[in-house]
Amino acid sequence: MRKTVLYATLILLSALFIAPFYWTFMTAVKSTAELYRFPPVLWPSEWHWENFAAAWNKQPFGTYLSNSLIVVVLSTIGQLLSSSLVAFGFARFRFPGRDALFVLLLATMMIPWDVKMIPLYMEFNMLGWINTLKPLIVPAYFADAFFVFLLRQYIMTIPMEIDEAARMDGANSFDIYWRIHLPLMLPALVLVGTFHFMNAWNDYLGPLIFLNDQSKYTLTLGLSMFKGLHEIDVTSIAAITVILCLPPLALFFLAQRYIMDGAVGSSVKG
C-alpha cells in the first residue's frame, strides 16, 4: 500500500512537471483553428510538423544557432578550466589567508547579477566589446564561485596520498592537476559543465544588454523577435521553444549518471 501511494505521488508529480512541455509541444503542432478553440484542444486532430520549419525560416535562426553554439562551447570550456584550476588551488595549497579568501569568494555569490549589470556594461564598453560575443564568453574564463565550491569539495574527497606519490615520481603541481585530478574530477566536471551549459544556453538578459546587431543574436534573443506590436505568433514561439529545449534535455539524459556521481561527491568533505 505504501509503495502504491509512493508511485502514485511520483506519477502525479511527474505529470505536473511534464505538463508545460506537453502543452508547448502540442501548441507547436496545432493548426491555427485549433490553437484558439475553446475548450482547449489537448490532442490535435492533425499534426502540423511543418510549423517547425516555418518558424525556423521566419528569422535567421541558423545564424542565431551558430552564435549560441559559439558562446556555449567556448564559455563552457573556459568555465571548466578556470573553475577546476581555482578549486585545485584552494583544495591542495596551503597559504596565509586561504580560508578567508575562500570565504570572500563565496560571499560574491550573494551579489545579484542585476547589481553588476551596469558596471559590467561600462567595463565592456570601455574595452570595445559591446555588440560582440566576448562579454558572453570571456567572463567564464575567470571561474565561478559556486562551481569553484563544488569542485573544491570534490577534490577534497581525493586522498592526499595520490598527490604525494605523484610528487615522489617527479610530478609538479600542474602535472598533478592536469594528469591526475582532472580525470578523477570527471563526474564533478560533467555536473559543472551541464549547469553552465544550461545557464549559457538559456541566457536572455546578457545577450539583450550586450548585443545590438541582429547578426550577433543568440537563439533566446531571436525567439523574442516573434513578439509583435499587435499580435504574438504563438505557434512559432512554441515551435522554437521546443527546439531550444532539446539540447539541454539531451545533455541531461546523456550525462545524468555523471551528474548524480558529481553531486554526491561534491557534497562530501574529505
Side-chain angles (χ1 to χ4, degrees), residues 17-230:
F17 281 107
I18 294 173
F21 183 79
Y22 171 83
W23 184 257
T24 302
F25 178 77
M26 288 302 168
T27 301
V29 296
K30 287 179 184 178
S31 64
T32 305
E34 289 181 326
L35 183 63
Y36 297 104
R37 185 177 300 173
F38 186 84
V41 178
L42 298 179
W43 190 268
S45 58
E46 184 178 355
W47 294 54
H48 294 269
W49 298 104
E50 68 275 9
N51 290 345
F52 290 97
W56 188 266
N57 293 326
K58 286 182 179 179
Q59 296 287 338
F61 279 102
T63 301
Y64 301 159
L65 175 61
S66 176
N67 293 334
S68 291
L69 290 176
I70 291 173
V71 170
V72 169
V73 172
L74 294 182
S75 64
T76 300
I77 293 173
Q79 193 64 254
L80 292 175
L81 291 175
S82 60
S83 295
S84 62
L85 188 60
V86 174
F88 176 76
F90 276 117
R92 287 302 195 244
F93 288 104
R94 301 289 186 268
F95 54 88
R98 184 196 63 170
D99 294 338
L101 186 61
F102 184 67
V103 171
L104 179 62
L105 174 69
L106 296 182
T108 62
M109 292 192 297
M110 295 187 293
I111 304 175
W113 196 86
D114 298 3
V115 174
K116 300 182 291 182
M117 182 170 55
I118 295 177
L120 283 174
Y121 184 90
M122 296 173 63
E123 179 182 355
F124 294 143
N125 185 50
M126 188 168 54
L127 294 172
W129 289 2
I130 298 300
N131 201 32
T132 70
L133 299 179
K134 292 178 183 178
L136 307 177
I137 298 174
V138 175
Y141 286 79
F142 292 90
D144 180 270
F146 177 64
F147 295 150
V148 169
F149 171 76
L150 287 179
L151 293 174
R152 173 186 176 272
Q153 295 302 105
Y154 194 90
I155 293 174
M156 291 180 69
T157 65
I158 301 174
M160 281 291 296
E161 288 77 9
I162 295 178
D163 296 36
E164 296 170 359
R167 292 189 186 279
M168 292 179 64
D169 291 335
N172 56 37
S173 297
F174 186 79
D175 290 332
I176 295 173
Y177 159 75
W178 187 259
R179 298 183 179 181
I180 297 176
H181 283 276
L182 275 185
L184 292 176
M185 281 193 290
L186 179 60
L189 289 175
V190 172
L191 176 66
V192 168
T194 302
F195 281 169
H196 180 77
F197 177 94
M198 297 183 70
N199 290 337
W201 183 262
N202 296 320
D203 185 22
Y204 174 76
L205 191 56
L208 179 65
I209 294 172
F210 300 127
L211 302 178
N212 302 323
D213 190 354
Q214 188 174 351
S215 64
K216 301 290 196 307
Y217 283 3
T218 58
L219 280 172
T220 51
L221 197 56
L223 180 61
S224 65
M225 299 294 289
F226 284 123
K227 297 179 180 179
L229 293 176
H230 304 290

